[in-house]
Amino acid sequence: MKSIRPLVLSLLAAVMVAPLAAQTAPAATAPVKPAAAPTVTKVAPVSIAYVNSGAFGDPTTGLKQLVRVTQSLELEFSSQQSELSLLNEKLKTIVAELQKLAADQVANADAIKAKQVEGTALQQEMQGKQQAAQQAYNARAQEVQGPVLQQIGKALREFSKQRDIGILLDVAKIGEAILDAKPELDVTADFIGYYNTLNP
């Protein structure tokens, strides 16, 4: 009797669960309608050209306004450049003297130490002055060249618009990503002429 009761309970449980399973089973599936084909927007053909902004700074064939600003900036920092060149020459002299003294390191031990200390101090001074000059140059370049570069950017957009160029690339920035391009797509000289006419 005891062994039948669990069997009856398990059958009762099976009978109760079967209707629940039948209720949760998915109904017969209706045929699925195929999804509507996505609409494809037709893209109009686009003309592509390129410039080489590296040519903009060329002193003879570049953008005159940019060349003038760059030259004035270099003139402004010429004294710092001269000072750094002088320090570099002094450092080279110390290195040459150390090489001569190294021929007899025992006899020249004190002189070698003194030159090494002098060379290290000079190198640290030069590095500090280089960093300061570079920071000052970058700040001044941003101040002086920044507006000109913005003007060049606007002129490039206007130039492209006038010639109906859909995409204008700069090969100086893309570099090796361009594997081949027809020379007739290069509008660098045209843009330089256009810009120099507007900004003599």
Side-chain angles (χ1 to χ4, degrees):
M1 199 74 173
K2 286 185 182 178
S3 62
I4 294 176
R5 181 172 271 189
L7 179 61
V8 171
L9 288 176
S10 63
L11 286 174
L12 184 60
V15 170
M16 291 179 69
V17 171
L20 290 175
Q23 288 176 2
T24 58
T29 56
V32 178
K33 291 182 180 179
T39 55
V40 177
T41 306
K42 196 169 187 179
V43 178
V46 175
S47 60
I48 297 175
Y50 65 88
V51 293
N52 181 355
S53 63
F56 294 173
D58 187 284
T60 53
T61 60
L63 301 175
K64 294 174 185 176
Q65 183 185 31
L66 181 62
V67 170
R68 279 194 305 271
V69 168
T70 303
Q71 287 174 342
S72 71
L73 193 60
E74 288 171 1
L75 185 62
E76 187 177 333
F77 284 86
S78 61
S79 60
Q80 288 94 325
Q81 186 60 45
S82 297
E83 183 184 9
L84 288 170
S85 296
L86 184 62
L87 289 173
N88 193 44
E89 288 303 315
K90 284 182 180 178
L91 194 58
K92 284 181 182 177
T93 303
I94 291 172
V95 169
E97 289 171 356
L98 276 168
Q99 288 172 343
K100 287 179 187 176
L101 292 170
D104 189 357
Q105 291 187 1
V106 176
N108 300 325
D110 291 339
I112 289 172
K113 273 188 184 177
K115 283 290 174 195
Q116 285 175 337
V117 168
E118 184 184 353
T120 301
L122 187 61
Q123 192 174 17
Q124 288 172 348
E125 179 187 355
M126 193 169 86
Q127 285 174 345
K129 288 187 176 184
Q130 273 178 334
Q131 287 176 354
Q134 189 64 55
Q135 287 173 352
Y137 181 89
N138 290 346
R140 184 70 177 134
Q142 182 65 34
E143 182 182 332
V144 174
Q145 288 179 329
V148 175
L149 295 174
Q150 285 180 350
Q151 191 174 344
I152 292 168
K154 287 178 185 175
L156 279 166
R157 284 188 287 282
E158 187 59 34
F159 175 83
S160 297
K161 188 176 176 184
Q162 287 179 11
R163 284 155 182 78
D164 197 27
I165 298 170
I167 298 175
L168 183 64
L169 305 171
D170 182 358
V171 294
K173 292 185 176 129
I174 300 172
E176 295 176 6
I178 293 183
L179 302 176
D180 189 32
K182 292 181 178 179
E184 54 267 27
L185 296 176
D186 185 356
V187 294
T188 306
D190 293 342
F191 174 72
I192 289 173
Y194 166 83
Y195 191 86
N196 285 341
T197 302
L198 297 175
N199 304 280

